[in-house]
Amino acid sequence: MGADKHFVSTIEYAKKISNNRSTILILGESGCGKEVFAQAIHNHSKRMDEPFVALNCGAIPNQLIESELFGYEEGAYTGAKKGGNIGKFEQANNGTIMLDEIGEMPLDMQTRLLRVLQENVITKIGSQRSIPIDVRIIAATNKDLKKEVELGRFRKDLFYRLNVLPLYLPPLRERKSDIPVLYRYFMKNLSAKYEKKEFQIFDESMRILEDYSWPGNVRELENVVELIINTESFPTKYFIKNSEENQPYDINFNEKRPLIVTEERLEELDPAVLDMTYVEKEHIKRVLKLYKGNISQAACALGIQRNTLYSKINKYEIQM
């Protein structure tokens, strides 16, 4: 979902590269929709009627990832299932396998994966027999693999084998015009899923959504919409709290600055910064700036009445 021109061009690029066997490396922050793109590429390819298998390399213990990928024969190790087990590559034969968080794969497994890419065969644990496979590989990561190569944590030869068709997914903060589109999409679908009414928000609230940095990207936006549906309210304090955590210069910067300079000699400090009213004044200024001067939203975020906020604005001579 999206109309941002760069995002649309990414979709068109993904369509163009969907119908070949070359390996794709999807790059992007967590929550950008890498698995959604991988599934969409598979669905747009000639392999669409064959299996699509996704594996999160970062979610499997190192000692189990080999058996997950390649399978094992009966009796291969203590606790092995009777009759053995097929791995993800064999399950995905003739289709597509997505290796998410490929940057988390152990170095010894990277060597095994490189062999699969070179020879198109796998060998189960406890077996000497090579099994030919025809699998389209889509790898994905939120890491800078070039840097991981330089640090010795990722094989250089594997990186170049994977990085045949790179696809970069922009974070949500780089496609802010898509936020209203995604909001309406999630609102419609999630309200139907939970059998609740769609919750309408004011333009000021939409501007808050558009101005937020979205460190969790599309996944975070979906979670916020689900929160709105279940609480039937706009979570203003959520954005203040997370702005404080992710942008320390934003709301409470001037609150924290006096604490930093207290290491200096007391006589060198401006007495004004030691007064509690200084903290309140600066905090109100930051909240008003965050909400672009909207008194109602700012008062709600501060937990005070509009009249009280007006009184404090006059008291501290805050310029709007």
Side-chain angles (χ1 to χ4, degrees), residues 254-263 273:
N254 285 325
E255 252 183 272
K256 295 176 181 177
R257 185 167 57 190
L259 298 179
I260 296 171
V261 298
T262 51
E263 296 179 4
V273 304

Side-chain angles (χ1 to χ4, degrees), residues 57-222:
C57 300
I60 302 171
N62 291 355
Q63 64 270 25
L64 296 179
I65 192 167
E66 185 176 6
S67 63
E68 282 290 322
L69 285 173
F70 306 123
Y72 56 85
E73 296 287 2
E74 181 177 344
Y77 54 84
T78 304
K81 189 168 64 175
K82 185 177 181 181
N85 194 43
I86 66 171
K88 300 298 185 185
F89 270 98
E90 203 171 350
Q91 291 175 27
N93 198 24
N94 299 315
T96 304
I97 187 168
M98 183 203 179
L99 301 177
D100 199 6
E101 294 191 30
I102 190 71
E104 304 294 336
M105 181 175 282
L107 280 168
D108 58 333
M109 280 306 305
Q110 292 177 29
T111 305
R112 293 286 307 275
L113 178 59
L114 185 62
R115 177 172 179 261
V116 174
L117 287 166
Q118 291 171 334
E119 302 176 10
N120 297 319
V121 296
I122 61 166
T123 304
K124 290 184 177 182
I125 299 174
S127 173
Q128 299 298 318
R129 183 172 63 93
S130 295
I131 303 172
I133 56 165
D134 175 17
V135 176
R136 174 78 178 282
I137 295 177
I138 300 178
T141 183
N142 58 12
K143 288 188 172 183
D144 183 345
L145 287 190
K146 284 187 177 180
K147 186 174 182 181
E148 293 297 300
V149 169
E150 292 172 3
L151 294 171
R153 295 196 290 247
F154 201 83
R155 290 184 61 106
K156 186 176 182 179
D157 45 6
L158 178 58
F159 169 69
Y160 286 112
R161 280 281 183 174
L162 294 173
N163 196 38
V164 179
L165 296 171
L167 188 155
Y168 171 71
L169 290 185
L172 190 55
R173 63 181 174 275
E174 291 182 8
R175 44 187 284 243
K176 292 194 171 186
S177 61
D178 285 342
I179 290 173
V181 177
L182 287 164
Y183 175 85
R184 289 189 290 269
Y185 172 79
F186 288 134
M187 179 58 68
K188 180 179 179 181
N189 284 275
L190 291 175
S191 60
K193 175 182 177 180
Y194 295 115
E195 298 181 345
K196 291 179 176 287
K197 291 182 179 180
E198 293 185 29
F199 185 83
Q200 303 299 320
I201 62 173
F202 296 110
D203 292 342
E204 292 87 350
S205 298
M206 183 59 73
R207 281 197 290 272
I208 292 172
L209 296 180
E210 292 172 341
D211 290 341
Y212 182 57
S213 62
W214 297 107
N217 293 294
V218 179
R219 185 185 296 125
E220 184 183 9
L221 175 57
E222 182 178 10

Side-chain angles (χ1 to χ4, degrees), residues 25-75:
L25 179 61
I26 302 179
L27 307 166
E29 296 177 7
S30 295
C32 282
K34 294 187 288 293
E35 186 171 343
V36 173
F37 255 78
Q39 177 77 68
I41 289 169
H42 171 78
N43 293 345
H44 197 69
S45 73
K46 295 176 182 177
R47 299 172 182 261
M48 61 184 296
D49 295 323
E50 301 296 339
F52 173 83
V53 177
L55 179 72
N56 188 323
C57 300
I60 302 171
N62 291 355
Q63 64 270 25
L64 296 179
I65 192 167
E66 185 176 6
S67 63
E68 282 290 322
L69 285 173
F70 306 123
Y72 56 85
E73 296 287 2
E74 181 177 344

Side-chain angles (χ1 to χ4, degrees), residues 196-197 199 226-234:
K196 291 179 176 287
K197 291 182 179 180
F199 185 83
E226 187 170 337
L227 174 65
I228 291 171
I229 289 170
N230 282 287
T231 60
E232 297 183 352
S233 62
F234 187 80

